[in-house]
Amino acid sequence: MLFNSYEFIFAFLPVTFLLYFYLNHKNRVQEGKLFLVLSSLFFYAWWNPIYLPLILISMFFNYKMGDLLLKSSDKKILNSMQNSLESETLVPNNTRLKPSVPSSARSLLIFGILANLLLLGYFKYSDFFIENINSVIGSDFKPLHLALPLAISFFTFQQIAYLVDSYRKETHEYDFLNYAVFVTFFPQLIAGPIVHHKEMMPQFETNSAKKINPHHIAMGIFIFSIGLFKKVIIADTFSVWATTGFDVAQSLNLLEAWTTSLSYTFQLYFDFSGYTDMAIGVALLFNIKLPTNFNSPYKATDIQDFWRRWHITLSRFLRDYIYIPLGGNRKGTVRTYSNLLGTFILGGLWHGAGWTFIFWGFLHGMALVIHRVWSSFGIKLWSWVAWIITFNFINISWVFFRAKEWDDAIKVLSAMFSLDNVVLHSALESRLTALNIYGVEYGKMFDNIGGDNSTAIWIVAILLSILWFKNSIEELKEFKVIYRTATITALTLSMGILSLNKISEFLYFNF
């Protein structure tokens, strides 16, 4: 089921909201949680019920593994040992020693992580692995052609984080129903954010969370409406131009190529930003505040700043559960660079089973390495120069992220940087005739991508709005029920609902 559908907006969401708070109002809290879990599983199964047992098995397995990890050693004993060691003169008072964890707990953690990765790998990477084996050794193994289960990347990573946190004694969960709420809560089930148990579940336990909160409802509808507008009005408009340029057009001139790449850059931005806003808005209706996952990433003036703003919870996961365990920046410069590169190559692979995704991750890893090297010299660029470099790198790297095949990426990139395919508007022909000798042609631009001359104006207007206006999260922090916010809500919600006849999936559903 999609957030941007009549079924969700007019049936599923209001029914779930009303029945959940009715049960809480009657002090049937456990029944309320159970109803929320069942509703979330129904929401998940709407796409394809055949994979419902998969998420259930994954939940049962990881809950049991987390329970075993929590019981593998006594945290009080470990803390007592730590305090005892700190009292010794050989240990400075400001030094924290990492308590030893039984090897059985470490083995359990490794087993749990491997089981999750094998499940993810089987469904997401089997065909990719088979195709590459066939290519390398000339074999003829048949692809499995498995459909990718919805949200498998997200609920797998979320549960891996839970296992690691349990190993570190940072979770306290002995109730499967609570754990099921944590995994399946439908506003964040399909495409994140990737949340920690400790940042979401305590919210469900407060008395205020069990009562309808009019202010949260107003905030939720406000940001949900903005997200719906971003998705169905802006992102889906750009998707037409991006799809035609990447998948349909046989060739592109320079302006068409830049229009194609920028169209996808903005499609992905507003698609993911729209989903994030809608997820935050729906969660607020249930008095749950999800972590910020998107914060104007195209305002970034360096690549590190970009990854602090784009898919923030995924960046956090990659940092905490891959980069730091690999050694982070604690083992010398060369090791730091290799850790960065390895982390982002894995991040690229997480997004998709293809060499274009891996190369996209490699590009971002290299960009972070170059940024660190540059920063070590202490040289500062003007902020506008830094922004131009950062934005254009991101735009160019998205070409590999979007392209279905290498040839599609080369088609767009070669046209973007070729000076022998410049086409100007026919109105300029009489004034710029001399440019003919340089290969410049005149005619109607954007023929190949199905747009018109207003496309460029639309792209510039969108870019300026991204750079100059507050984002939705900033608006939410300052939210008040006033005429302005009511007007914004009414306009964006009505325009979004009127455009639901062209429903399309969110891009991150594919990852």
Side-chain angles (χ1 to χ4, degrees):
M1 192 179 299
L2 298 172
F3 288 165
N4 54 319
S5 67
Y6 291 114
E7 296 89 349
F8 179 83
I9 294 173
F10 294 111
F12 176 83
L13 181 58
V15 169
T16 303
F17 174 84
L18 291 173
L19 289 179
Y20 173 74
F21 281 107
Y22 172 78
L23 290 170
N24 279 286
H25 176 70
K26 295 296 183 179
N27 291 320
R28 298 168 66 178
V29 176
Q30 292 301 97
E31 289 91 335
K33 287 181 180 178
L34 178 60
F35 172 73
L36 191 58
V37 170
L38 294 176
S39 298
S40 297
L41 292 174
F42 175 81
F43 173 83
Y44 179 83
W46 185 270
W47 174 74
N48 190 344
I50 195 173
Y51 287 119
L52 184 58
L54 183 70
I55 191 172
L56 291 173
I57 292 170
S58 176
M59 286 164 49
F60 280 112
F61 172 79
N62 284 288
Y63 169 73
K64 185 59 179 177
M65 291 300 300
D67 188 43
L68 291 173
L69 286 166
L70 284 168
K71 295 175 180 177
S72 61
S73 58
D74 192 317
K75 188 175 181 180
K76 291 182 180 179
I77 295 175
L78 293 173
N79 286 338
S80 175
M81 292 170 59
Q82 174 69 45
N83 294 333
S84 176
L85 285 170
E86 288 181 352
S87 66
E88 299 292 334
T89 56
L90 295 177
V91 182
N93 291 332
N94 62 350
T95 301
R96 290 293 295 175
L97 296 179
K98 183 178 179 181
S100 61
V101 181
S103 59
S104 59
R106 193 173 292 110
S107 299
L108 279 172
L109 176 66
I110 293 171
F111 174 72
I113 291 175
L114 286 177
N116 279 280
L117 293 178
L118 285 172
L119 180 69
L120 177 63
Y122 174 72
F123 283 99
K124 192 168 184 175
Y125 303 106
S126 291
D127 284 353
F128 177 66
F129 178 75
I130 290 171
E131 289 169 5
N132 282 277
I133 288 293
N134 288 341
S135 177
V136 171
I137 67 175
S139 57
D140 191 27
F141 297 114
K142 300 298 182 185
L144 302 179
H145 298 299
L146 298 170
L148 183 65
L150 189 65
I152 189 171
S153 295
F154 286 94
F155 70 68
T156 298
F157 268 34
Q158 184 156 314
Q159 292 186 102
I160 287 176
Y162 174 77
L163 294 183
V164 176
D165 291 347
S166 297
Y167 172 79
R168 295 171 176 171
K169 313 305 172 191
E170 295 175 358
T171 61
H172 303 278
E173 186 57 80
Y174 302 100
D175 184 334
F176 178 74
L177 183 58
N178 282 338
Y179 181 76
V181 172
F182 162 65
V183 176
T184 66
F185 186 48
F186 71 91
Q188 51 83 212
L189 171 61
I190 306 299
I194 301 170
V195 297
H196 286 283
H197 184 274
K198 61 186 177 183
E199 67 188 349
M200 189 172 80
M201 292 314 299
Q203 297 184 62
F204 281 97
E205 302 306 319
T206 62
N207 289 328
S208 59
K210 300 177 178 66
K211 301 175 183 178
I212 292 177
N213 185 320
H215 186 65
H216 283 172
I217 292 174
M219 293 172 68
I221 295 175
F222 171 74
I223 195 169
F224 179 90
S225 302
I226 292 175
L228 181 65
F229 179 87
K230 287 178 180 178
K231 167 59 179 170
V232 302
I233 303 297
I234 303 178
D236 287 352
T237 298
F238 278 119
S239 72
V240 176
W241 303 330
T243 299
T244 307
F246 274 100
D247 302 335
V248 178
Q250 298 299 310
S251 62
L252 300 168
N253 63 49
L254 183 140
L255 292 174
E256 290 169 343
W258 278 94
T259 301
T260 297
S261 67
L262 288 169
S263 292
Y264 182 70
T265 292
F266 293 130
Q267 178 198 355
L268 185 59
Y269 179 97
F270 285 102
D271 191 281
F272 189 37
S273 176
Y275 176 88
T276 301
D277 287 350
M278 295 168 83
I280 289 173
V282 173
L284 276 172
L285 298 181
F286 293 86
N287 299 318
I288 302 300
K289 295 181 179 180
L290 296 177
T292 300
N293 204 29
F294 200 89
N295 186 23
S296 297
Y298 289 172
K299 291 181 181 179
T301 54
D302 61 63
I303 193 63
Q304 188 176 61
D305 188 27
F306 172 78
W307 279 105
R308 288 179 181 141
R309 296 167 174 264
W310 178 277
H311 208 331
I312 297 169
T313 58
L314 175 63
S315 301
R316 178 179 67 179
F317 182 94
L318 294 174
R319 180 197 67 200
D320 293 347
Y321 301 108
I322 298 179
Y323 175 69
I324 290 177
L326 285 174
N329 59 1
R330 305 186 306 275
K331 298 187 177 182
T333 302
V334 174
R335 183 68 178 271
T336 297
Y337 296 161
S338 63
N339 291 341
L340 278 172
L341 196 57
T343 298
F344 274 85
I345 288 173
L346 290 174
L349 186 62
W350 176 85
H351 279 89
W355 287 105
T356 52
F357 286 106
I358 293 172
F359 187 65
W360 170 81
F362 169 80
L363 287 176
H364 277 262
M366 285 301 301
L368 283 161
V369 169
I370 292 169
H371 170 69
R372 277 184 172 266
V373 173
W374 179 271
S375 299
S376 68
F377 292 115
I379 303 173
K380 297 286 186 180
L381 293 174
W382 288 321
S383 59
W384 63 272
V385 174
W387 175 82
I388 289 174
I389 293 171
T390 303
F391 178 78
N392 278 284
F393 167 77
I394 292 164
N395 178 56
I396 291 167
S397 66
W398 282 141
V399 172
F400 293 98
F401 192 86
R402 168 59 177 80
K404 293 180 179 178
E405 305 290 344
W406 285 103
D407 289 345
D408 296 328
I410 299 303
K411 175 187 72 177
V412 175
L413 287 172
S414 61
M416 287 172 66
F417 295 99
S418 175
L419 297 179
D420 61 358
N421 62 351
V422 180
V423 177
L424 300 179
H425 195 278
S426 56
L428 298 174
E429 185 171 9
S430 60
R431 302 175 185 176
L432 301 173
T433 306
L435 293 179
N436 284 333
I437 62 175
Y438 299 104
V440 174
E441 298 178 3
Y442 301 90
K444 187 176 181 181
M445 296 183 291
F446 312 126
D447 281 342
N448 282 338
I449 61 169
D452 55 34
N453 298 326
S454 64
T455 305
I457 298 173
W458 177 252
I459 288 175
V460 171
I462 290 296
L463 180 58
L464 291 175
S465 71
I466 290 173
L467 295 176
W468 293 107
F469 293 114
K470 291 180 180 179
N471 63 43
S472 51
I473 299 301
E474 292 168 333
E475 291 279 0
L476 192 63
K477 289 178 180 178
E478 302 172 1
F479 178 82
K480 294 179 181 179
V481 182
I482 55 177
Y483 177 78
R484 174 178 171 273
T485 55
T487 302
I488 291 173
T489 302
L491 287 174
T492 53
L493 185 60
S494 59
M495 292 177 70
I497 289 174
L498 290 173
S499 299
L500 292 182
N501 60 315
K502 52 179 183 179
I503 291 175
S504 62
E505 288 187 357
F506 292 89
L507 292 176
Y508 260 76
F509 282 18
N510 299 317
F511 308 139

